PDB file of all heavy atoms in Angstrom:
ATOM      1  N   PHE C 164     -10.289 -15.787  27.858  1.00  0.00           N
ATOM      2  CA  PHE C 164     -10.267 -15.809  26.404  1.00  0.00           C
ATOM      3  C   PHE C 164      -9.011 -15.089  25.915  1.00  0.00           C
ATOM      4  O   PHE C 164      -8.619 -14.059  26.487  1.00  0.00           O
ATOM      5  CB  PHE C 164     -11.525 -15.137  25.840  1.00  0.00           C
ATOM      6  CG  PHE C 164     -11.717 -15.393  24.383  1.00  0.00           C
ATOM      7  CD1 PHE C 164     -12.153 -16.632  23.941  1.00  0.00           C
ATOM      8  CD2 PHE C 164     -11.435 -14.425  23.436  1.00  0.00           C
ATOM      9  CE1 PHE C 164     -12.307 -16.893  22.591  1.00  0.00           C
ATOM     10  CE2 PHE C 164     -11.587 -14.665  22.089  1.00  0.00           C
ATOM     11  CZ  PHE C 164     -12.028 -15.908  21.663  1.00  0.00           C
ATOM     12  N   PRO C 165      -8.348 -15.593  24.856  1.00  0.00           N
ATOM     13  CA  PRO C 165      -7.021 -15.080  24.507  1.00  0.00           C
ATOM     14  C   PRO C 165      -6.968 -13.677  23.919  1.00  0.00           C
ATOM     15  O   PRO C 165      -5.898 -13.078  23.869  1.00  0.00           O
ATOM     16  CB  PRO C 165      -6.530 -16.107  23.460  1.00  0.00           C
ATOM     17  CG  PRO C 165      -7.757 -16.781  22.951  1.00  0.00           C
ATOM     18  CD  PRO C 165      -8.711 -16.800  24.087  1.00  0.00           C
ATOM     19  N   ILE C 166      -8.122 -13.131  23.459  1.00  0.00           N
ATOM     20  CA  ILE C 166      -8.099 -11.783  22.880  1.00  0.00           C
ATOM     21  C   ILE C 166      -9.084 -10.906  23.635  1.00  0.00           C
ATOM     22  O   ILE C 166     -10.264 -11.264  23.778  1.00  0.00           O
ATOM     23  CB  ILE C 166      -8.451 -11.795  21.380  1.00  0.00           C
ATOM     24  CG1 ILE C 166      -7.483 -12.682  20.604  1.00  0.00           C
ATOM     25  CG2 ILE C 166      -8.426 -10.369  20.818  1.00  0.00           C
ATOM     26  CD1 ILE C 166      -7.809 -12.803  19.130  1.00  0.00           C
ATOM     27  N   SER C 167      -8.618  -9.758  24.113  1.00  0.00           N
ATOM     28  CA  SER C 167      -9.496  -8.792  24.778  1.00  0.00           C
ATOM     29  C   SER C 167      -8.888  -7.406  24.632  1.00  0.00           C
ATOM     30  O   SER C 167      -7.764  -7.248  24.119  1.00  0.00           O
ATOM     31  CB  SER C 167      -9.661  -9.136  26.262  1.00  0.00           C
ATOM     32  OG  SER C 167      -8.483  -8.805  26.985  1.00  0.00           O
ATOM     33  N   ASP C 168      -9.616  -6.403  25.120  1.00  0.00           N
ATOM     34  CA  ASP C 168      -9.071  -5.045  25.035  1.00  0.00           C
ATOM     35  C   ASP C 168      -7.929  -4.826  26.004  1.00  0.00           C
ATOM     36  O   ASP C 168      -7.281  -3.770  25.986  1.00  0.00           O
ATOM     37  CB  ASP C 168     -10.174  -4.009  25.240  1.00  0.00           C
ATOM     38  CG  ASP C 168     -10.942  -4.213  26.541  1.00  0.00           C
ATOM     39  OD1 ASP C 168     -10.580  -5.107  27.323  1.00  0.00           O
ATOM     40  OD2 ASP C 168     -11.919  -3.479  26.758  1.00  0.00           O
ATOM     41  N   ALA C 169      -7.648  -5.832  26.852  1.00  0.00           N
ATOM     42  CA  ALA C 169      -6.476  -5.740  27.729  1.00  0.00           C
ATOM     43  C   ALA C 169      -5.189  -6.128  27.013  1.00  0.00           C
ATOM     44  O   ALA C 169      -4.091  -5.848  27.497  1.00  0.00           O
ATOM     45  CB  ALA C 169      -6.674  -6.641  28.957  1.00  0.00           C
ATOM     46  N   ASN C 170      -5.314  -6.772  25.857  1.00  0.00           N
ATOM     47  CA  ASN C 170      -4.132  -7.141  25.076  1.00  0.00           C
ATOM     48  C   ASN C 170      -3.427  -5.884  24.576  1.00  0.00           C
ATOM     49  O   ASN C 170      -4.080  -4.929  24.149  1.00  0.00           O
ATOM     50  CB  ASN C 170      -4.521  -7.993  23.870  1.00  0.00           C
ATOM     51  CG  ASN C 170      -4.992  -9.376  24.266  1.00  0.00           C
ATOM     52  OD1 ASN C 170      -5.781  -9.531  25.174  1.00  0.00           O
ATOM     53  ND2 ASN C 170      -4.528 -10.382  23.554  1.00  0.00           N
ATOM     54  N   PRO C 171      -2.106  -5.861  24.593  1.00  0.00           N
ATOM     55  CA  PRO C 171      -1.402  -4.716  24.014  1.00  0.00           C
ATOM     56  C   PRO C 171      -1.722  -4.572  22.531  1.00  0.00           C
ATOM     57  O   PRO C 171      -1.960  -5.561  21.828  1.00  0.00           O
ATOM     58  CB  PRO C 171       0.083  -5.081  24.210  1.00  0.00           C
ATOM     59  CG  PRO C 171       0.093  -6.134  25.274  1.00  0.00           C
ATOM     60  CD  PRO C 171      -1.192  -6.880  25.138  1.00  0.00           C
ATOM     61  N   ILE C 172      -1.763  -3.341  22.067  1.00  0.00           N
ATOM     62  CA  ILE C 172      -1.964  -3.090  20.638  1.00  0.00           C
ATOM     63  C   ILE C 172      -0.741  -3.584  19.872  1.00  0.00           C
ATOM     64  O   ILE C 172       0.388  -3.215  20.172  1.00  0.00           O
ATOM     65  CB  ILE C 172      -2.213  -1.597  20.382  1.00  0.00           C
ATOM     66  CG1 ILE C 172      -3.613  -1.210  20.872  1.00  0.00           C
ATOM     67  CG2 ILE C 172      -2.051  -1.257  18.901  1.00  0.00           C
ATOM     68  CD1 ILE C 172      -3.940   0.253  20.745  1.00  0.00           C
ATOM     69  N   GLU C 173      -0.983  -4.443  18.900  1.00  0.00           N
ATOM     70  CA  GLU C 173       0.100  -4.975  18.073  1.00  0.00           C
ATOM     71  C   GLU C 173       0.343  -4.143  16.829  1.00  0.00           C
ATOM     72  O   GLU C 173       1.489  -3.980  16.383  1.00  0.00           O
ATOM     73  CB  GLU C 173      -0.212  -6.421  17.678  1.00  0.00           C
ATOM     74  CG  GLU C 173       0.861  -7.056  16.779  1.00  0.00           C
ATOM     75  CD  GLU C 173       0.558  -8.493  16.427  1.00  0.00           C
ATOM     76  OE1 GLU C 173      -0.403  -9.068  16.980  1.00  0.00           O
ATOM     77  OE2 GLU C 173       1.302  -9.056  15.593  1.00  0.00           O
ATOM     78  N   HIS C 174      -0.731  -3.609  16.267  1.00  0.00           N
ATOM     79  CA  HIS C 174      -0.634  -2.900  14.983  1.00  0.00           C
ATOM     80  C   HIS C 174      -0.958  -1.422  15.191  1.00  0.00           C
ATOM     81  O   HIS C 174      -2.083  -1.058  15.527  1.00  0.00           O
ATOM     82  CB  HIS C 174      -1.601  -3.499  13.971  1.00  0.00           C
ATOM     83  CG  HIS C 174      -1.368  -4.956  13.714  1.00  0.00           C
ATOM     84  ND1 HIS C 174      -0.290  -5.425  12.986  1.00  0.00           N
ATOM     85  CD2 HIS C 174      -2.074  -6.052  14.092  1.00  0.00           C
ATOM     86  CE1 HIS C 174      -0.341  -6.741  12.924  1.00  0.00           C
ATOM     87  NE2 HIS C 174      -1.411  -7.147  13.583  1.00  0.00           N
ATOM     88  N   SER C 175       0.039  -0.594  14.987  1.00  0.00           N
ATOM     89  CA  SER C 175      -0.147   0.856  15.053  1.00  0.00           C
ATOM     90  C   SER C 175       0.715   1.488  13.977  1.00  0.00           C
ATOM     91  O   SER C 175       1.739   0.936  13.582  1.00  0.00           O
ATOM     92  CB  SER C 175       0.205   1.397  16.429  1.00  0.00           C
ATOM     93  OG  SER C 175       1.573   1.149  16.729  1.00  0.00           O
ATOM     94  N   ALA C 176       0.284   2.640  13.520  1.00  0.00           N
ATOM     95  CA  ALA C 176       1.033   3.341  12.464  1.00  0.00           C
ATOM     96  C   ALA C 176       0.522   4.765  12.403  1.00  0.00           C
ATOM     97  O   ALA C 176      -0.534   5.091  12.967  1.00  0.00           O
ATOM     98  CB  ALA C 176       0.844   2.644  11.121  1.00  0.00           C
ATOM     99  N   ALA C 177       1.260   5.600  11.730  1.00  0.00           N
ATOM    100  CA  ALA C 177       0.783   6.951  11.486  1.00  0.00           C
ATOM    101  C   ALA C 177      -0.426   6.878  10.558  1.00  0.00           C
ATOM    102  O   ALA C 177      -0.463   6.074   9.625  1.00  0.00           O
ATOM    103  CB  ALA C 177       1.887   7.796  10.844  1.00  0.00           C
ATOM    104  N   LEU C 178      -1.417   7.703  10.830  1.00  0.00           N
ATOM    105  CA  LEU C 178      -2.621   7.714  10.011  1.00  0.00           C
ATOM    106  C   LEU C 178      -2.299   8.237   8.616  1.00  0.00           C
ATOM    107  O   LEU C 178      -1.828   9.357   8.478  1.00  0.00           O
ATOM    108  CB  LEU C 178      -3.691   8.588  10.666  1.00  0.00           C
ATOM    109  CG  LEU C 178      -5.128   8.385  10.190  1.00  0.00           C
ATOM    110  CD1 LEU C 178      -5.672   7.068  10.734  1.00  0.00           C
ATOM    111  CD2 LEU C 178      -6.002   9.549  10.644  1.00  0.00           C
ATOM    112  N   PRO C 179      -2.522   7.443   7.573  1.00  0.00           N
ATOM    113  CA  PRO C 179      -2.217   7.932   6.228  1.00  0.00           C
ATOM    114  C   PRO C 179      -3.126   9.108   5.847  1.00  0.00           C
ATOM    115  O   PRO C 179      -4.293   9.156   6.273  1.00  0.00           O
ATOM    116  CB  PRO C 179      -2.508   6.715   5.333  1.00  0.00           C
ATOM    117  CG  PRO C 179      -2.563   5.538   6.247  1.00  0.00           C
ATOM    118  CD  PRO C 179      -3.030   6.056   7.560  1.00  0.00           C
ATOM    119  N   GLU C 180      -2.612  10.019   5.079  1.00  0.00           N
ATOM    120  CA  GLU C 180      -3.439  11.150   4.619  1.00  0.00           C
ATOM    121  C   GLU C 180      -4.419  10.709   3.543  1.00  0.00           C
ATOM    122  O   GLU C 180      -5.564  11.155   3.516  1.00  0.00           O
ATOM    123  CB  GLU C 180      -2.543  12.264   4.069  1.00  0.00           C
ATOM    124  CG  GLU C 180      -3.320  13.484   3.587  1.00  0.00           C
ATOM    125  CD  GLU C 180      -2.421  14.567   3.035  1.00  0.00           C
ATOM    126  OE1 GLU C 180      -1.210  14.542   3.323  1.00  0.00           O
ATOM    127  OE2 GLU C 180      -2.932  15.449   2.310  1.00  0.00           O
ATOM    128  N   ARG C 181      -3.958   9.791   2.683  1.00  0.00           N
ATOM    129  CA  ARG C 181      -4.808   9.337   1.578  1.00  0.00           C
ATOM    130  C   ARG C 181      -4.468   7.887   1.252  1.00  0.00           C
ATOM    131  O   ARG C 181      -3.299   7.508   1.223  1.00  0.00           O
ATOM    132  CB  ARG C 181      -4.602  10.206   0.333  1.00  0.00           C
ATOM    133  CG  ARG C 181      -5.373   9.743  -0.896  1.00  0.00           C
ATOM    134  CD  ARG C 181      -5.185  10.685  -2.073  1.00  0.00           C
ATOM    135  NE  ARG C 181      -5.766  11.977  -1.784  1.00  0.00           N
ATOM    136  CZ  ARG C 181      -7.064  12.281  -1.961  1.00  0.00           C
ATOM    137  NH1 ARG C 181      -7.890  11.332  -2.418  1.00  0.00           N
ATOM    138  NH2 ARG C 181      -7.528  13.479  -1.686  1.00  0.00           N
ATOM    139  N   VAL C 182      -5.506   7.075   0.978  1.00  0.00           N
ATOM    140  CA  VAL C 182      -5.330   5.696   0.538  1.00  0.00           C
ATOM    141  C   VAL C 182      -6.373   5.385  -0.533  1.00  0.00           C
ATOM    142  O   VAL C 182      -7.314   6.158  -0.753  1.00  0.00           O
ATOM    143  CB  VAL C 182      -5.469   4.685   1.704  1.00  0.00           C
ATOM    144  CG1 VAL C 182      -4.377   4.881   2.723  1.00  0.00           C
ATOM    145  CG2 VAL C 182      -6.845   4.764   2.344  1.00  0.00           C
ATOM    146  N   ASP C 183      -6.208   4.253  -1.170  1.00  0.00           N
ATOM    147  CA  ASP C 183      -7.184   3.831  -2.175  1.00  0.00           C
ATOM    148  C   ASP C 183      -8.444   3.250  -1.541  1.00  0.00           C
ATOM    149  O   ASP C 183      -9.549   3.447  -2.043  1.00  0.00           O
ATOM    150  CB  ASP C 183      -6.560   2.783  -3.109  1.00  0.00           C
ATOM    151  CG  ASP C 183      -5.375   3.324  -3.878  1.00  0.00           C
ATOM    152  OD1 ASP C 183      -5.489   4.440  -4.430  1.00  0.00           O
ATOM    153  OD2 ASP C 183      -4.329   2.646  -3.912  1.00  0.00           O
ATOM    154  N   VAL C 184      -8.265   2.501  -0.449  1.00  0.00           N
ATOM    155  CA  VAL C 184      -9.395   1.826   0.209  1.00  0.00           C
ATOM    156  C   VAL C 184      -9.182   1.854   1.716  1.00  0.00           C
ATOM    157  O   VAL C 184      -8.090   1.557   2.207  1.00  0.00           O
ATOM    158  CB  VAL C 184      -9.529   0.348  -0.244  1.00  0.00           C
ATOM    159  CG1 VAL C 184     -10.823  -0.255   0.318  1.00  0.00           C
ATOM    160  CG2 VAL C 184      -9.497   0.217  -1.752  1.00  0.00           C
ATOM    161  N   VAL C 185     -10.259   2.190   2.441  1.00  0.00           N
ATOM    162  CA  VAL C 185     -10.290   2.032   3.898  1.00  0.00           C
ATOM    163  C   VAL C 185     -11.216   0.870   4.219  1.00  0.00           C
ATOM    164  O   VAL C 185     -12.357   0.821   3.753  1.00  0.00           O
ATOM    165  CB  VAL C 185     -10.783   3.307   4.600  1.00  0.00           C
ATOM    166  CG1 VAL C 185     -10.962   3.042   6.108  1.00  0.00           C
ATOM    167  CG2 VAL C 185      -9.820   4.459   4.391  1.00  0.00           C
ATOM    168  N   ILE C 186     -10.724  -0.072   5.009  1.00  0.00           N
ATOM    169  CA  ILE C 186     -11.537  -1.191   5.476  1.00  0.00           C
ATOM    170  C   ILE C 186     -11.858  -0.965   6.938  1.00  0.00           C
ATOM    171  O   ILE C 186     -10.971  -0.675   7.739  1.00  0.00           O
ATOM    172  CB  ILE C 186     -10.791  -2.532   5.306  1.00  0.00           C
ATOM    173  CG1 ILE C 186     -10.535  -2.797   3.813  1.00  0.00           C
ATOM    174  CG2 ILE C 186     -11.592  -3.682   5.918  1.00  0.00           C
ATOM    175  CD1 ILE C 186      -9.649  -3.989   3.561  1.00  0.00           C
ATOM    176  N   ILE C 187     -13.130  -1.102   7.282  1.00  0.00           N
ATOM    177  CA  ILE C 187     -13.577  -0.899   8.655  1.00  0.00           C
ATOM    178  C   ILE C 187     -13.952  -2.256   9.243  1.00  0.00           C
ATOM    179  O   ILE C 187     -14.908  -2.890   8.811  1.00  0.00           O
ATOM    180  CB  ILE C 187     -14.773   0.072   8.698  1.00  0.00           C
ATOM    181  CG1 ILE C 187     -14.335   1.441   8.146  1.00  0.00           C
ATOM    182  CG2 ILE C 187     -15.313   0.195  10.115  1.00  0.00           C
ATOM    183  CD1 ILE C 187     -15.482   2.395   7.903  1.00  0.00           C
ATOM    184  N   GLY C 188     -13.138  -2.715  10.188  1.00  0.00           N
ATOM    185  CA  GLY C 188     -13.375  -4.003  10.827  1.00  0.00           C
ATOM    186  C   GLY C 188     -12.226  -4.959  10.634  1.00  0.00           C
ATOM    187  O   GLY C 188     -11.842  -5.266   9.507  1.00  0.00           O
ATOM    188  N   GLY C 189     -11.667  -5.446  11.746  1.00  0.00           N
ATOM    189  CA  GLY C 189     -10.484  -6.310  11.702  1.00  0.00           C
ATOM    190  C   GLY C 189     -10.780  -7.760  11.994  1.00  0.00           C
ATOM    191  O   GLY C 189      -9.985  -8.432  12.657  1.00  0.00           O
ATOM    192  N   GLY C 190     -11.917  -8.265  11.492  1.00  0.00           N
ATOM    193  CA  GLY C 190     -12.193  -9.683  11.576  1.00  0.00           C
ATOM    194  C   GLY C 190     -11.705 -10.401  10.330  1.00  0.00           C
ATOM    195  O   GLY C 190     -10.961  -9.843   9.518  1.00  0.00           O
ATOM    196  N   ILE C 191     -12.130 -11.641  10.158  1.00  0.00           N
ATOM    197  CA  ILE C 191     -11.657 -12.443   9.030  1.00  0.00           C
ATOM    198  C   ILE C 191     -12.031 -11.819   7.690  1.00  0.00           C
ATOM    199  O   ILE C 191     -11.246 -11.873   6.746  1.00  0.00           O
ATOM    200  CB  ILE C 191     -12.199 -13.899   9.132  1.00  0.00           C
ATOM    201  CG1 ILE C 191     -11.646 -14.765   8.000  1.00  0.00           C
ATOM    202  CG2 ILE C 191     -13.715 -13.918   9.158  1.00  0.00           C
ATOM    203  CD1 ILE C 191     -10.156 -14.920   7.970  1.00  0.00           C
ATOM    204  N   ILE C 192     -13.203 -11.193   7.589  1.00  0.00           N
ATOM    205  CA  ILE C 192     -13.620 -10.595   6.328  1.00  0.00           C
ATOM    206  C   ILE C 192     -12.746  -9.392   5.994  1.00  0.00           C
ATOM    207  O   ILE C 192     -12.204  -9.274   4.883  1.00  0.00           O
ATOM    208  CB  ILE C 192     -15.094 -10.188   6.365  1.00  0.00           C
ATOM    209  CG1 ILE C 192     -15.985 -11.375   6.736  1.00  0.00           C
ATOM    210  CG2 ILE C 192     -15.518  -9.580   5.032  1.00  0.00           C
ATOM    211  CD1 ILE C 192     -15.964 -12.515   5.764  1.00  0.00           C
ATOM    212  N   GLY C 193     -12.597  -8.497   6.962  1.00  0.00           N
ATOM    213  CA  GLY C 193     -11.797  -7.305   6.709  1.00  0.00           C
ATOM    214  C   GLY C 193     -10.341  -7.611   6.435  1.00  0.00           C
ATOM    215  O   GLY C 193      -9.730  -7.042   5.525  1.00  0.00           O
ATOM    216  N   VAL C 194      -9.767  -8.529   7.215  1.00  0.00           N
ATOM    217  CA  VAL C 194      -8.365  -8.888   7.018  1.00  0.00           C
ATOM    218  C   VAL C 194      -8.162  -9.548   5.659  1.00  0.00           C
ATOM    219  O   VAL C 194      -7.198  -9.243   4.932  1.00  0.00           O
ATOM    220  CB  VAL C 194      -7.884  -9.802   8.158  1.00  0.00           C
ATOM    221  CG1 VAL C 194      -6.517 -10.409   7.839  1.00  0.00           C
ATOM    222  CG2 VAL C 194      -7.823  -9.027   9.467  1.00  0.00           C
ATOM    223  N   SER C 195      -9.060 -10.447   5.273  1.00  0.00           N
ATOM    224  CA  SER C 195      -8.939 -11.101   3.973  1.00  0.00           C
ATOM    225  C   SER C 195      -9.079 -10.101   2.838  1.00  0.00           C
ATOM    226  O   SER C 195      -8.324 -10.148   1.860  1.00  0.00           O
ATOM    227  CB  SER C 195     -10.004 -12.199   3.842  1.00  0.00           C
ATOM    228  OG  SER C 195      -9.815 -13.214   4.799  1.00  0.00           O
ATOM    229  N   ALA C 196     -10.033  -9.184   2.962  1.00  0.00           N
ATOM    230  CA  ALA C 196     -10.197  -8.156   1.922  1.00  0.00           C
ATOM    231  C   ALA C 196      -8.934  -7.312   1.806  1.00  0.00           C
ATOM    232  O   ALA C 196      -8.519  -6.949   0.698  1.00  0.00           O
ATOM    233  CB  ALA C 196     -11.398  -7.274   2.250  1.00  0.00           C
ATOM    234  N   ALA C 197      -8.308  -6.997   2.935  1.00  0.00           N
ATOM    235  CA  ALA C 197      -7.082  -6.207   2.909  1.00  0.00           C
ATOM    236  C   ALA C 197      -5.974  -6.927   2.153  1.00  0.00           C
ATOM    237  O   ALA C 197      -5.243  -6.325   1.344  1.00  0.00           O
ATOM    238  CB  ALA C 197      -6.642  -5.892   4.337  1.00  0.00           C
ATOM    239  N   ILE C 198      -5.843  -8.223   2.398  1.00  0.00           N
ATOM    240  CA  ILE C 198      -4.809  -9.004   1.721  1.00  0.00           C
ATOM    241  C   ILE C 198      -5.001  -8.965   0.215  1.00  0.00           C
ATOM    242  O   ILE C 198      -4.069  -8.669  -0.556  1.00  0.00           O
ATOM    243  CB  ILE C 198      -4.816 -10.455   2.227  1.00  0.00           C
ATOM    244  CG1 ILE C 198      -4.283 -10.521   3.660  1.00  0.00           C
ATOM    245  CG2 ILE C 198      -3.976 -11.360   1.315  1.00  0.00           C
ATOM    246  CD1 ILE C 198      -4.434 -11.884   4.317  1.00  0.00           C
ATOM    247  N   TYR C 199      -6.222  -9.231  -0.239  1.00  0.00           N
ATOM    248  CA  TYR C 199      -6.448  -9.362  -1.684  1.00  0.00           C
ATOM    249  C   TYR C 199      -6.530  -8.013  -2.383  1.00  0.00           C
ATOM    250  O   TYR C 199      -6.134  -7.906  -3.550  1.00  0.00           O
ATOM    251  CB  TYR C 199      -7.688 -10.223  -1.929  1.00  0.00           C
ATOM    252  CG  TYR C 199      -7.445 -11.656  -1.510  1.00  0.00           C
ATOM    253  CD1 TYR C 199      -8.065 -12.200  -0.389  1.00  0.00           C
ATOM    254  CD2 TYR C 199      -6.537 -12.453  -2.201  1.00  0.00           C
ATOM    255  CE1 TYR C 199      -7.804 -13.493   0.025  1.00  0.00           C
ATOM    256  CE2 TYR C 199      -6.265 -13.753  -1.786  1.00  0.00           C
ATOM    257  CZ  TYR C 199      -6.900 -14.271  -0.685  1.00  0.00           C
ATOM    258  OH  TYR C 199      -6.619 -15.552  -0.278  1.00  0.00           O
ATOM    259  N   LEU C 200      -6.991  -6.979  -1.697  1.00  0.00           N
ATOM    260  CA  LEU C 200      -6.938  -5.646  -2.296  1.00  0.00           C
ATOM    261  C   LEU C 200      -5.488  -5.196  -2.462  1.00  0.00           C
ATOM    262  O   LEU C 200      -5.113  -4.629  -3.504  1.00  0.00           O
ATOM    263  CB  LEU C 200      -7.701  -4.645  -1.420  1.00  0.00           C
ATOM    264  CG  LEU C 200      -9.213  -4.612  -1.611  1.00  0.00           C
ATOM    265  CD1 LEU C 200      -9.885  -3.926  -0.432  1.00  0.00           C
ATOM    266  CD2 LEU C 200      -9.572  -3.887  -2.915  1.00  0.00           C
ATOM    267  N   ASN C 201      -4.672  -5.433  -1.461  1.00  0.00           N
ATOM    268  CA  ASN C 201      -3.264  -5.080  -1.543  1.00  0.00           C
ATOM    269  C   ASN C 201      -2.576  -5.811  -2.687  1.00  0.00           C
ATOM    270  O   ASN C 201      -1.734  -5.238  -3.401  1.00  0.00           O
ATOM    271  CB  ASN C 201      -2.579  -5.386  -0.207  1.00  0.00           C
ATOM    272  CG  ASN C 201      -1.110  -5.007  -0.197  1.00  0.00           C
ATOM    273  OD1 ASN C 201      -0.762  -3.831  -0.182  1.00  0.00           O
ATOM    274  ND2 ASN C 201      -0.243  -6.008  -0.220  1.00  0.00           N
ATOM    275  N   ARG C 202      -2.946  -7.065  -2.886  1.00  0.00           N
ATOM    276  CA  ARG C 202      -2.338  -7.835  -3.969  1.00  0.00           C
ATOM    277  C   ARG C 202      -2.788  -7.373  -5.349  1.00  0.00           C
ATOM    278  O   ARG C 202      -2.161  -7.719  -6.347  1.00  0.00           O
ATOM    279  CB  ARG C 202      -2.643  -9.326  -3.770  1.00  0.00           C
ATOM    280  CG  ARG C 202      -1.915  -9.913  -2.566  1.00  0.00           C
ATOM    281  CD  ARG C 202      -2.238 -11.373  -2.324  1.00  0.00           C
ATOM    282  NE  ARG C 202      -1.547 -11.885  -1.139  1.00  0.00           N
ATOM    283  CZ  ARG C 202      -1.640 -13.128  -0.681  1.00  0.00           C
ATOM    284  NH1 ARG C 202      -2.413 -14.006  -1.321  1.00  0.00           N
ATOM    285  NH2 ARG C 202      -0.973 -13.501   0.398  1.00  0.00           N
ATOM    286  N   LEU C 203      -3.878  -6.587  -5.379  1.00  0.00           N
ATOM    287  CA  LEU C 203      -4.310  -5.972  -6.635  1.00  0.00           C
ATOM    288  C   LEU C 203      -3.686  -4.595  -6.824  1.00  0.00           C
ATOM    289  O   LEU C 203      -4.067  -3.850  -7.731  1.00  0.00           O
ATOM    290  CB  LEU C 203      -5.836  -5.874  -6.679  1.00  0.00           C
ATOM    291  CG  LEU C 203      -6.606  -7.189  -6.845  1.00  0.00           C
ATOM    292  CD1 LEU C 203      -8.116  -6.929  -6.812  1.00  0.00           C
ATOM    293  CD2 LEU C 203      -6.216  -7.892  -8.140  1.00  0.00           C
ATOM    294  N   GLY C 204      -2.765  -4.235  -5.958  1.00  0.00           N
ATOM    295  CA  GLY C 204      -2.063  -2.972  -6.115  1.00  0.00           C
ATOM    296  C   GLY C 204      -2.722  -1.797  -5.428  1.00  0.00           C
ATOM    297  O   GLY C 204      -2.315  -0.647  -5.654  1.00  0.00           O
ATOM    298  N   GLN C 205      -3.713  -2.043  -4.582  1.00  0.00           N
ATOM    299  CA  GLN C 205      -4.391  -0.964  -3.878  1.00  0.00           C
ATOM    300  C   GLN C 205      -3.653  -0.619  -2.592  1.00  0.00           C
ATOM    301  O   GLN C 205      -3.148  -1.506  -1.880  1.00  0.00           O
ATOM    302  CB  GLN C 205      -5.826  -1.372  -3.540  1.00  0.00           C
ATOM    303  CG  GLN C 205      -6.680  -1.709  -4.750  1.00  0.00           C
ATOM    304  CD  GLN C 205      -6.944  -0.498  -5.615  1.00  0.00           C
ATOM    305  OE1 GLN C 205      -7.615   0.449  -5.210  1.00  0.00           O
ATOM    306  NE2 GLN C 205      -6.383  -0.507  -6.822  1.00  0.00           N
ATOM    307  N   ARG C 206      -3.606   0.658  -2.276  1.00  0.00           N
ATOM    308  CA  ARG C 206      -3.063   1.090  -0.998  1.00  0.00           C
ATOM    309  C   ARG C 206      -4.195   1.026   0.026  1.00  0.00           C
ATOM    310  O   ARG C 206      -5.201   1.722  -0.115  1.00  0.00           O
ATOM    311  CB  ARG C 206      -2.497   2.506  -1.085  1.00  0.00           C
ATOM    312  CG  ARG C 206      -1.729   2.905   0.184  1.00  0.00           C
ATOM    313  CD  ARG C 206      -1.200   4.327   0.112  1.00  0.00           C
ATOM    314  NE  ARG C 206      -0.481   4.659   1.341  1.00  0.00           N
ATOM    315  CZ  ARG C 206      -0.249   5.895   1.743  1.00  0.00           C
ATOM    316  NH1 ARG C 206      -0.669   6.929   1.029  1.00  0.00           N
ATOM    317  NH2 ARG C 206       0.413   6.119   2.864  1.00  0.00           N
ATOM    318  N   VAL C 207      -4.015   0.183   1.029  1.00  0.00           N
ATOM    319  CA  VAL C 207      -5.108  -0.166   1.934  1.00  0.00           C
ATOM    320  C   VAL C 207      -4.751   0.179   3.372  1.00  0.00           C
ATOM    321  O   VAL C 207      -3.631  -0.078   3.825  1.00  0.00           O
ATOM    322  CB  VAL C 207      -5.422  -1.685   1.854  1.00  0.00           C
ATOM    323  CG1 VAL C 207      -6.579  -2.051   2.781  1.00  0.00           C
ATOM    324  CG2 VAL C 207      -5.744  -2.089   0.415  1.00  0.00           C
ATOM    325  N   VAL C 208      -5.725   0.742   4.099  1.00  0.00           N
ATOM    326  CA  VAL C 208      -5.624   0.868   5.546  1.00  0.00           C
ATOM    327  C   VAL C 208      -6.838   0.202   6.163  1.00  0.00           C
ATOM    328  O   VAL C 208      -7.961   0.354   5.690  1.00  0.00           O
ATOM    329  CB  VAL C 208      -5.504   2.344   5.997  1.00  0.00           C
ATOM    330  CG1 VAL C 208      -6.745   3.156   5.650  1.00  0.00           C
ATOM    331  CG2 VAL C 208      -5.225   2.425   7.500  1.00  0.00           C
ATOM    332  N   LEU C 209      -6.585  -0.588   7.205  1.00  0.00           N
ATOM    333  CA  LEU C 209      -7.652  -1.261   7.934  1.00  0.00           C
ATOM    334  C   LEU C 209      -7.739  -0.645   9.327  1.00  0.00           C
ATOM    335  O   LEU C 209      -6.745  -0.586  10.042  1.00  0.00           O
ATOM    336  CB  LEU C 209      -7.371  -2.763   8.024  1.00  0.00           C
ATOM    337  CG  LEU C 209      -8.442  -3.653   8.648  1.00  0.00           C
ATOM    338  CD1 LEU C 209      -8.352  -5.076   8.105  1.00  0.00           C
ATOM    339  CD2 LEU C 209      -8.359  -3.683  10.175  1.00  0.00           C
ATOM    340  N   LEU C 210      -8.947  -0.203   9.682  1.00  0.00           N
ATOM    341  CA  LEU C 210      -9.187   0.388  10.991  1.00  0.00           C
ATOM    342  C   LEU C 210      -9.965  -0.600  11.852  1.00  0.00           C
ATOM    343  O   LEU C 210     -11.027  -1.090  11.462  1.00  0.00           O
ATOM    344  CB  LEU C 210     -10.001   1.682  10.853  1.00  0.00           C
ATOM    345  CG  LEU C 210      -9.399   2.790   9.986  1.00  0.00           C
ATOM    346  CD1 LEU C 210     -10.329   3.990   9.946  1.00  0.00           C
ATOM    347  CD2 LEU C 210      -8.012   3.188  10.484  1.00  0.00           C
TER     348      LEU C 210
END
């Protein structure tokens, strides 16, 4: 299967001290919410 925990991490960054919204879960729902929250001007981090 093309995605597993053996895949190298693609997305990494310093942990922000403060954001407007934290999204927990990187599936289609979480990723879509991140896109549209960001487009509303929210500072978003997805874990």
